[in-house]
């Protein structure tokens, strides 16, 4: 993604590029539990103090899990937890990623053929 006309705190203006990428492997351990392993990285241009464009990179491996709680009303609540671990240019960084999703069908699809 291009960021045209970005401006640093010092007022230096430049066109920057930001690239994000990722991939996931998800394993259905049982009807409600997913084990996940995600890979996320990116490269971002930044304007240095001297006005030159520099490149900042990041890469994280995020092991995690999510669990679906089903209700008779067809509401499904899905809490999840991940632990992002920095590798390569992000080595030594880590965090906690919390996830919460409420899923419910808004409309009931009509049968195509009756």
């Amino acid at each position: 993604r291009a960021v045209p006309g970005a401006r640093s705190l010092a007022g230096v203006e430049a066109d920057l590029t930001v690239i994000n990428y990722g991939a996931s492997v998800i394993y259905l351990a049982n009807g409600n539990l997913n084990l996940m392993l995600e890979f996320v990285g990116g490269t971002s241009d930044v304007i240095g103090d001297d006005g030159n464009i520099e490149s900042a990179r990041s890469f994280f491996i995020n092991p995690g899990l999510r669990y679906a709680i089903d209700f008779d009303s067809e509401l499904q609540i899905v809490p999840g937890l991940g632990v992002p671990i920095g590798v390569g240019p992000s080595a030594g960084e880590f965090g906690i990623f919390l996830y919460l999703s409420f899923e419910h069908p808004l409309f009931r699809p009509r049968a195509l053929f009756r």
Side-chain angles (χ1 to χ4, degrees), residues 77-114:
I77 299 176
V78 185
L81 172 71
V83 182
I85 302 166
V87 288
S90 300
E93 296 182 40
F94 65 93
I96 295 176
F97 180 81
L98 299 175
Y99 170 88
L100 183 61
S101 173
F102 296 86
E103 301 176 22
H104 191 278
L106 294 177
F107 304 102
R108 307 252 186 266
R110 288 190 286 170
L112 295 176
F113 304 100
R114 291 186 183 200

Side-chain angles (χ1 to χ4, degrees), residues 15 26 31 40 58-59 69 78 100 113:
D15 295 335
I26 300 175
V40 181
S58 65
F59 190 79
I69 303 166
V78 185
L100 183 61
F113 304 100

